[in-house]
Amino acid sequence: STPEAARLSADFQSNRGRLPWPVGQGNIVRGYGRRSVEGVTIDEPDVAIRTADNAAVKTVFEGDVVQALGGIVVIKHGEYFSFYSNLGSVSVRKGQKVTRGQQIGTAGRDEDLGYSVVNFGLQQGQREFDPSTWLAR
């Protein structure tokens, strides 16, 4: 870990409970963690946030884009990673540096649900976190 990565990790950690939402307006319609659907247990690694069609999706913290492909963007924040999926469009590329609040794409519509949803997750190494506890209330 470089000194810059260690600083970024510490800054990210210190913002727990104060990160901006990845969309300007939205509400969580599916939580993080284990749930049962028709007798099948599912572990959800992220939360699903309902938002407006084509809503801007923004990064929650500065970092480096490590994946931007097929409606999925992954951003590295030192030792932490933020994941954004179900994007209708992606406006960043792998290797790009991004700032907190920078638009990285737009929300994608879930035709089965009939509205737009952005999936948002957080991870440190292999350890996943409930992202709702990191977002500002």
Side-chain angles (χ1 to χ4, degrees), residues 1-13 61-64 75-83 122-127 129 134:
S1 182
T2 66
E4 180 182 339
R7 178 200 57 80
L8 195 57
S9 296
D11 287 350
F12 190 85
Q13 172 71 35
F61 206 75
E62 69 180 279
D64 297 304
I75 300 174
K76 183 177 183 183
H77 317 279
E79 298 173 1
Y80 292 86
F81 294 86
S82 58
F83 300 82
L122 291 175
Q123 197 168 316
Q124 180 186 28
Q126 296 300 312
R127 182 176 173 207
F129 297 99
W134 287 70

Side-chain angles (χ1 to χ4, degrees), residues 8-24 28 49 58-63 75 77 80-84 99-101 120-123 129-137:
L8 195 57
S9 296
D11 287 350
F12 190 85
Q13 172 71 35
S14 71
N15 276 274
R16 186 177 188 142
R18 296 193 315 258
L19 292 176
W21 282 58
V23 294
I28 294 175
I49 303 171
K58 300 176 180 183
T59 182
V60 298
F61 206 75
E62 69 180 279
I75 300 174
H77 317 279
Y80 292 86
F81 294 86
S82 58
F83 300 82
Y84 312 77
T99 58
R100 179 181 178 132
F120 173 66
L122 291 175
Q123 197 168 316
F129 297 99
D130 179 349
S132 66
T133 65
W134 287 70
L135 297 173
R137 300 272 173 212

Side-chain angles (χ1 to χ4, degrees), residues 29-46:
V29 294
R30 182 197 33 80
Y32 166 88
R34 184 165 287 178
R35 66 186 181 114
S36 181
V37 177
E38 297 180 13
V40 177
T41 301
I42 300 171
D43 286 318
E44 299 289 2
D46 53 21

